[in-house]
Amino acid sequence: MELLKLVIVDDEPILLQGLLDTYDWKSMGFRVVGTAQSGEQAIQVIEEVQPHVVLTDIRMKQITGLMVMEEIQKTDLECLFIVLSAYRDFDYAQQACDLGAFAYLLKPIEDEKLQETMQSAYRVCMERIENDEKYESWEKLLVKDHDSFLQVVIQKYVQNRIPKEKVEEVMQMLADLPRNTERFITVCVDIDLAYRITHSLDYEAARFALMNRLEEVIGGKYFFWKTEGKGNCAFIIRTEDKSAVMELKHLLEHVKEDEKSPVVAAISKPYKGIEGIRRSCAEAQRLFGMASVSGASAFTVSEEVEVTAAEEQAVETDNLIVNAVRKNNEKELKETFVQLIYGLPQDEEKQCQYMHRVMLRTEFMLQDTYGLTDEIKKKFRNYYNNLENLSAAKAVDVCYKILCDVIEVRKKTAAEDETRYFKDYMKEAVAYIDEHLQEEELSIVSVAGHIYLNPVYFGRVFKNTFHMTFKKYLMQQRMEKAKRLLEEGNGSIGDICEAVGIHNPSYFSHLFKQYTGRLPSEYKKEYEV
């Protein structure tokens, strides 16, 4: 097994030494090449030894583990971060994930969890190393397969998977750097998404025919690279023809006339240089989104076609609606729909067309995530089937209600998943409550601290699990224990108060009567022989 480089960071010397001595890193595929006892030292060590994986404490004085991650991200170093914390703090975990942490482990570390995480990190690193080696080996194939190799490189570049410098290096190696007179124009084109719903059986065949036709007509006049974009196919054209934009527009118009299925397309302005490849692609993608909303067959940025602020706002609102549903945020969805209503075009047909695309985008997002139950699928189908019979105002109302239902289903699904995930945590919390009922200071904060969860987050999970608040559950357990002790007849009322953590007898009697309808003395008499 090839051993990968590991750096361990912890500002507690004893804990750091414990990490070094306790675990058999070699069996997990790693050799420790450096350690650090502060964030500042960690940055220095990481830059010096360039490890594959960094295991770091998240809470350190001055420079935290999160800050170390931020600093390393500013460099060209590629390493996985596994963060450790003695606190099951949801906010810290979320920040670590936002910064791209590979994993988040809790102290004390479970051996099995550490083993599983390190093995997973090892696999990811090895895949990355193998991919880098494959990339280097591609250079040997350049002479034999120049165009295909460059096609792969360009696709990775427009997907932000490799930097501009790497593309420049490859093109220089191929002696194929863009000349100053050359420009890059991107055409994004596809079958209208609505057709995928209304003609699902014909959609794939129509799309295949369209792409073949485009390759033929565009390839007949221009050199191009073809890549799959966000819901469309992108043709990146390399040309010195100054009239290429208008020529491409004419070509697309002819294709649209010949095709039976609805074609949506967008054409960027021409841009020069390697950065022009990505720029033209991004512009065409943005315009394609606008074309999809408006139903246009071709959409270019030129003196003939002006992109209005209203069209840009429509695309932005479209994104906001989908994101509100993705985040299960009902308030945000409502606010966005209000914004949408004021921004809809005057034409009623376009209003319905716009709502149709909002629903399509939301449905595709649900397919990629969760929440698309059979019941929700049926609601989407009913909406599409009855679209022609709905007025624009009614279409907006129906869409809003369906998306509210979607959020409700997603929230329920997320809560159920969360409850299952934290089942063991809740068992531990309940056991701790039972064991410490006699402690007056027992609270949601102390119980959450015992199982290393944020109190607010713990309270939410607890309520989802037991269908009652922590406060109500704690009172219920105390009163039930008091009832058992009174039934057994062992000890005075004062003793029972101490046993259930309510040390004021008068307050205890008040709570007990609220819970049972009787005073403790009355309840006790019923069980006296």
Side-chain angles (χ1 to χ4, degrees), residues 138-174:
W138 284 349
E139 296 180 6
K140 300 174 183 177
L141 303 173
L142 293 183
V143 176
K144 294 182 180 178
D145 206 355
H146 172 292
D147 292 338
S148 296
F149 178 76
L150 198 51
Q151 161 85 31
V152 174
V153 171
I154 295 299
Q155 179 155 336
K156 287 180 180 291
Y157 175 57
V158 297
Q159 292 171 348
N160 292 317
R161 292 168 62 189
I162 58 174
K164 172 195 165 188
E165 292 72 25
K166 185 62 73 174
V167 181
E168 190 170 11
E169 181 185 327
V170 170
M171 286 186 153
Q172 197 163 22
M173 208 182 316
L174 296 170

Side-chain angles (χ1 to χ4, degrees), residues 49-141:
V49 303
Q50 300 188 12
H52 297 95
V53 175
V54 177
L55 186 69
T56 179
D57 188 14
I58 203 169
R59 291 203 181 200
M60 294 186 291
K61 296 172 184 175
Q62 295 180 331
I63 297 179
T64 67
L66 295 177
M67 293 165 73
V68 171
M69 291 177 65
E70 288 178 326
E71 286 302 310
I72 295 303
Q73 284 180 351
K74 295 175 185 177
T75 70
D76 294 329
L77 295 177
E78 283 191 356
C79 59
L80 299 183
F81 277 87
I82 298 171
V83 295
L84 307 173
S85 177
Y87 304 89
R88 288 182 179 173
D89 190 312
F90 182 71
D91 293 334
Y92 269 100
Q94 198 169 39
Q95 287 180 56
C97 290
D98 290 344
L99 286 170
F102 179 75
Y104 183 85
L105 297 176
L106 305 169
K107 293 180 180 179
I109 305 171
E110 296 178 12
D111 291 357
E112 195 173 308
K113 185 67 176 175
L114 177 65
Q115 186 88 14
E116 178 187 331
T117 301
M118 297 305 294
Q119 287 175 350
S120 180
Y122 183 87
R123 286 195 296 272
V124 170
C125 289
M126 288 306 298
E127 285 177 10
R128 181 183 290 173
I129 291 169
E130 288 167 7
N131 287 338
D132 288 343
E133 289 174 351
K134 285 178 185 176
Y135 183 84
E136 290 174 6
S137 69
W138 284 349
E139 296 180 6
K140 300 174 183 177
L141 303 173

Side-chain angles (χ1 to χ4, degrees), residues 222-287:
Y222 303 103
F223 172 82
F224 69 85
W225 296 299
K226 179 182 170 188
T227 71
E228 286 296 325
K230 299 175 182 176
N232 57 67
C233 190
F235 291 82
I236 303 170
I237 293 141
R238 182 175 182 174
T239 180
E240 294 183 79
D241 183 358
K242 293 183 179 179
S243 62
V245 171
M246 293 308 301
E247 179 65 28
L248 286 165
K249 186 178 178 183
H250 293 321
L251 287 176
L252 287 170
E253 286 171 351
H254 286 309
V255 170
K256 180 182 178 292
E257 289 172 6
D258 295 342
E259 294 295 319
K260 295 180 181 178
S261 51
V263 177
V264 177
I267 308 171
S268 76
K269 288 191 290 188
Y271 293 100
K272 67 178 182 178
I274 293 172
E275 63 274 10
I277 299 171
R278 187 181 281 172
R279 189 176 177 188
S280 72
C281 217
E283 182 177 277
Q285 291 287 357
R286 180 173 62 84
L287 295 172

Side-chain angles (χ1 to χ4, degrees), residues 160-339:
N160 292 317
R161 292 168 62 189
I162 58 174
K164 172 195 165 188
E165 292 72 25
K166 185 62 73 174
V167 181
E168 190 170 11
E169 181 185 327
V170 170
M171 286 186 153
Q172 197 163 22
M173 208 182 316
L174 296 170
D176 198 14
L177 283 167
R179 293 185 294 276
N180 198 43
T181 53
E182 287 184 311
R183 298 294 183 271
F184 295 99
I185 303 165
T186 297
V187 175
C188 287
V189 62
D190 219 313
I191 303 293
D192 191 340
L193 279 176
Y195 195 77
R196 177 172 170 178
I197 297 295
T198 57
H199 298 74
S200 57
L201 295 176
D202 300 330
Y203 174 78
E204 291 299 338
R207 190 175 190 273
F208 181 77
L210 172 65
M211 295 310 160
N212 281 345
R213 179 75 194 286
L214 287 169
E215 287 182 22
E216 180 185 335
V217 297
I218 294 176
K221 289 192 68 77
Y222 303 103
F223 172 82
F224 69 85
W225 296 299
K226 179 182 170 188
T227 71
E228 286 296 325
K230 299 175 182 176
N232 57 67
C233 190
F235 291 82
I236 303 170
I237 293 141
R238 182 175 182 174
T239 180
E240 294 183 79
D241 183 358
K242 293 183 179 179
S243 62
V245 171
M246 293 308 301
E247 179 65 28
L248 286 165
K249 186 178 178 183
H250 293 321
L251 287 176
L252 287 170
E253 286 171 351
H254 286 309
V255 170
K256 180 182 178 292
E257 289 172 6
D258 295 342
E259 294 295 319
K260 295 180 181 178
S261 51
V263 177
V264 177
I267 308 171
S268 76
K269 288 191 290 188
Y271 293 100
K272 67 178 182 178
I274 293 172
E275 63 274 10
I277 299 171
R278 187 181 281 172
R279 189 176 177 188
S280 72
C281 217
E283 182 177 277
Q285 291 287 357
R286 180 173 62 84
L287 295 172
F288 184 86
M290 294 179 186
S292 295
V293 170
S294 63
S297 61
F299 208 90
T300 65
V301 176
S302 68
E303 293 179 359
E304 297 178 1
V305 182
E306 180 182 356
V307 180
T308 67
E311 287 163 342
E312 289 187 343
Q313 182 61 39
V315 174
E316 179 62 25
T317 306
D318 187 357
N319 292 333
L320 289 174
I321 289 173
V322 176
N323 286 333
V325 176
R326 182 183 283 111
K327 293 186 288 186
N328 303 334
N329 192 324
E330 291 167 322
K331 182 182 177 184
E332 194 173 305
L333 178 67
K334 184 177 180 180
E335 291 172 351
T336 307
F337 255 83
V338 171
Q339 180 180 331

